[in-house]
């Protein structure tokens, strides 16, 4: 390994993070129905339908939602794990 590979610069790290984020976001982008290409919304992953928030899941979201900036989808996943 060369010295630059062992000690990446801040720009190298930033570039790697940006590439990783772009790749991850593209995995959740909805597909355009006309041509099958991804329609990328870089600000938000797909939202859960309102039907997902029934019963205990809705109660949990109502309880913890206002206490954090985490998205509802994260709370859903956490609650699934807690119940499991």
């Amino acid at each position: 390994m060369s010295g630059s590979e062992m000690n990446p610069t801040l720009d190298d790290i930033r570039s790697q993070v940006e590439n990783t984020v772009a790749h991850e976001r593209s995995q959740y982008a909805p597909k355009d129905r006309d041509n099958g290409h991804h329609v990328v919304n870089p600000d938000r992953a797909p939202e859960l339908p309102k039907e997902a928030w029934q019963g205990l899941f809705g109660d949990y979201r109502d309880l913890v939602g206002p206490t954090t900036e985490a998205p509802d989808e994260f709370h859903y996943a956490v609650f699934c794990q807690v119940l499991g």
Side-chain angles (χ1 to χ4, degrees):
M1 269 188 185
S2 68
S4 65
E5 291 175 4
M6 292 178 65
N7 296 313
T9 66
L10 185 56
D11 289 335
D12 293 336
I13 295 170
R14 180 179 294 123
S15 176
Q16 290 174 353
V17 169
E18 288 172 350
N19 288 338
T20 301
V21 169
H23 172 75
E24 290 298 319
R25 284 183 174 165
S26 73
Q27 300 304 305
Y28 296 104
K31 288 192 175 182
D32 183 352
R33 294 176 196 233
D34 294 335
N35 59 21
H37 292 112
H38 286 291
V39 178
V40 177
N41 178 355
D43 297 325
R44 190 93 172 124
E47 294 181 7
L48 290 171
K50 67 179 181 176
E51 291 82 9
W53 297 106
Q54 296 181 18
L56 291 175
F57 286 89
D59 295 342
Y60 177 78
R61 182 180 64 170
D62 293 342
L63 178 68
V64 299
T67 66
T68 177
E69 293 181 8
D72 286 344
E73 293 78 15
F74 175 80
H75 287 297
Y76 189 90
V78 168
F79 194 63
C80 282
Q81 289 183 337
V82 169
L83 284 179

